[in-house]
Amino acid sequence: MLGYFIRRVLVLIPVSLAVSMVIFSIIHLIPGDPIDNLLKIGAGPEQREIMTARYGLDKPLAVQYWIWLSGVLQGDLGTAIVARRPVADLIAQALPHSLALGLCALAFSTFFGIVLGTIAALNRDRWPDQLIMTVVLLGSTVPGFWLGLLLILVFSVWLGMFPVSGARDWSAMVLPVLTVGLGGTALVARVTRVAMVEAGQRDFLMLLHAKGMRPARIQLRHVLRHALIPVVTILSLRIGWILGGAVTVEVVFARPGLGTLLIKSLNQHDYPVVQACLLILAMAVMLGTLAGDLIQAAMDPRVRAAL
């Protein structure tokens, strides 16, 4: 396992380098620049040249990338051009809100997804299975921002149960977690059902029935255990997706998270902040994939034997 972990970490190095190059290139290809948000009305070309040189935007892109990458490798994410604050401080303020939302949504979708998928698999081709799969299908097709607006209308405007926006206390987390978590619940439920149906057709189950083991114990202890392997893979990939997919949800609920910071910085063309946010989201996807591979190897002896 240690050798496998080291090899997987080494693979992340060139991937991270390639991702950083793509992020930097795409951001600088977007029309406009942050200087437009700093210049006063009526400022001439001389002021623009001075401001451009002050923030190093007059250098070639390759030189700008090397300066930014060198700083990132040393733990320096740079200084926000428009906000004029260290990017690390802005990230430190926004990231805890996004992590709290993401982890709660991940826990919600994991628990209810596995429960619903298990119930559907145990009642295969019967009405509970059909009902759950119908609800799951609807849940997976509803856009997150539309679902968020609908939940605000029902539970905030009509019923007054939860706040419309902000992050003041736990009640402000309920609707965003439901919005982000319902889509994941649908995915986890479908994967769990399919995996349990396939695991229920394995030959070793005949031996367990022959030994007189109770069917419920077989399903929950053995079939579900084998079915959780692909579920873990899906959940590991969703770690990064939840942080990135919560961007629109954070904007809808006006939460001071990473998504709100990213959208605001994109509108201002604040390159250092946008680059840092996108890099964090990309690293979350890569680290989530790494965690999923390690957990899968720990759960499945066949994977460990192949290492």
Side-chain angles (χ1 to χ4, degrees), residues 35-109:
I35 305 302
D36 296 332
N37 296 284
L38 298 177
L39 292 175
K40 298 181 180 179
I41 298 177
E46 297 80 8
Q47 286 82 1
R48 173 176 287 277
E49 292 179 0
I50 293 174
M51 297 293 290
T52 301
R54 177 183 300 176
Y55 293 102
L57 299 178
D58 59 333
K59 297 181 174 64
L61 285 182
V63 176
Q64 294 184 46
Y65 171 73
W66 175 249
I67 294 174
W68 173 67
L69 182 62
S70 301
V72 170
L73 294 178
Q74 298 174 17
D76 182 12
L77 297 177
T79 303
I81 297 176
V82 178
R84 300 180 183 180
R85 294 180 54 192
V87 177
D89 292 347
L90 298 176
I91 297 295
Q93 290 180 356
L95 189 57
H97 295 284
S98 295
L99 287 177
L101 174 59
L103 292 176
C104 290
L106 184 65
F108 177 88
S109 59

Side-chain angles (χ1 to χ4, degrees), residues 114-244:
I114 292 176
V115 170
L116 292 176
T118 302
I119 295 174
L122 296 178
N123 296 273
R124 183 184 178 186
D125 297 330
R126 294 197 292 269
W127 71 265
D129 180 24
Q130 297 173 355
L131 177 61
I132 290 175
M133 288 299 103
T134 301
V135 174
V136 161
L137 179 61
L138 292 175
S140 61
T141 56
V142 174
F145 69 91
W146 185 85
L147 179 60
L149 293 175
L150 182 63
L151 292 177
I152 289 176
L153 178 64
V154 175
F155 292 99
S156 298
V157 178
W158 291 351
L159 301 179
M161 297 175 60
F162 303 105
V164 176
S165 61
R168 295 183 296 274
D169 50 30
W170 67 268
S171 61
M173 283 278 292
V174 175
L175 296 184
V177 167
L178 287 177
T179 304
V180 179
L182 285 177
T185 301
L187 177 62
V188 174
R190 284 187 295 171
V191 173
T192 302
R193 179 189 180 277
V194 172
M196 286 194 66
V197 170
E198 293 180 353
Q201 299 173 352
R202 303 280 181 86
D203 294 336
F204 73 92
L205 296 180
M206 298 179 60
L207 177 61
L208 296 178
H209 285 288
K211 292 174 62 176
M213 187 175 294
R214 292 181 299 174
R217 185 178 182 185
I218 293 175
Q219 292 292 330
L220 297 178
R221 183 172 180 178
H222 297 278
V223 176
L224 181 59
R225 179 182 177 183
H226 284 77
L228 286 180
I229 295 176
V231 174
V232 168
T233 304
I234 294 296
L235 290 174
S236 63
L237 295 176
R238 281 191 55 81
I239 294 176
W241 183 93
I242 282 179
L243 287 179

Side-chain angles (χ1 to χ4, degrees), residues 4-42:
Y4 176 71
F5 172 76
I6 294 175
R7 290 195 301 271
R8 292 288 286 109
V9 171
L10 291 177
V11 170
L12 291 181
I13 296 177
V15 175
S16 302
L17 182 62
V19 168
S20 68
M21 294 177 64
V22 172
I23 290 174
F24 187 87
S25 302
I26 291 178
I27 293 303
H28 285 76
L29 290 176
I30 299 176
D33 59 56
I35 305 302
D36 296 332
N37 296 284
L38 298 177
L39 292 175
K40 298 181 180 179
I41 298 177

